[in-house]
Amino acid sequence: MSDERSVVDVDEPSSWPAHFAERIHELANDHRGSTDEVVDLQVDHYEEELVGELEGCVLRAYHCTRLLGHEEQDIRDRGLRLYDDDLVCNRLDAALRHGHLTEDEHAQLLARATYSRHRVGSVCMIIGKSAFENHAHQLRRLLATWGGEGIYIGHENGLGPLYSRLRKLGRPTIVIAHVDLAAAGRPRVWPGIAKVFVGAALELVDPNAQVTCSVAIPPSAIERLVHPGDPEYDRYSELPSG
């Protein structure tokens, strides 16, 4: 069953709940002209208040990755899983099982898998489409290289054939999903809900944020997946096209 709660999108002020929008615009008026940078807005002490105003709503967020066909279906069926050793091993095993890796490639990738401990137990996402316009260089490798950081990071020097293979597997995918700020293990948002939404109201250059979720994203929260060839993806010319 799909999630029927109101979806709040930082890029679509018409989606902001009325009282939340009113408070955001009050703060924007109070801080107009104080800075040109979202991260420098002095609104951190309003964070808890504004998060509370979003109770009962979910945020539209984006997860950048590169997926094989069976992985796309798995996300539709099971949602976005937390990053951990099992996820890395399961991706490699499934790629072998579906014929995308040879036994030798599987063994090499498994042996060199690197588990980023600072990311274990999390799903990393972003809010704010300006990230795709202003930070495409940071997102490009997530979209251009299959497997996620745990698999490709050991081969990023580009030496040897495996790195080239990882860049040919799957296709770039932006998973659009809904994040519940009131969920257990409340998501961490940097630089914060207050700064991003006030920055958007002030029409500052870069109103986006990193969102780190410590609970999995259920399938009911998956809105859609977009790829090269979809207008919603192709509008960002700096992203990988294949």
Side-chain angles (χ1 to χ4, degrees), residues 137-217:
H137 62 289
Q138 296 175 3
L139 304 175
R140 194 175 295 125
R141 67 177 187 169
L142 295 168
L143 294 160
T145 315
W146 177 79
E149 291 176 326
I151 293 173
Y152 69 62
I153 201 167
H155 307 270
E156 278 192 302
N157 59 14
L159 301 177
L162 272 181
Y163 187 68
S164 296
R165 283 283 288 127
L166 295 177
R167 293 178 66 87
K168 293 176 181 177
L169 294 175
R171 60 175 174 169
T173 306
I174 299 173
V175 181
I176 305 175
H178 304 156
V179 172
D180 182 1
L181 291 178
R186 174 176 152 184
R188 299 189 303 276
V189 182
W190 189 91
I193 292 297
K195 286 184 175 181
V196 171
F197 278 88
V198 172
L202 288 170
E203 298 183 350
L204 299 186
V205 171
D206 208 15
N208 63 77
Q210 300 174 17
V211 182
T212 304
C213 303
S214 58
V215 294
I217 307 297

Side-chain angles (χ1 to χ4, degrees), residues 63-67 75 91 142-144 148 171-175:
H63 178 75
C64 295
T65 186
R66 189 177 183 94
L67 299 174
I75 287 175
R91 291 193 74 177
L142 295 168
L143 294 160
R171 60 175 174 169
T173 306
I174 299 173
V175 181

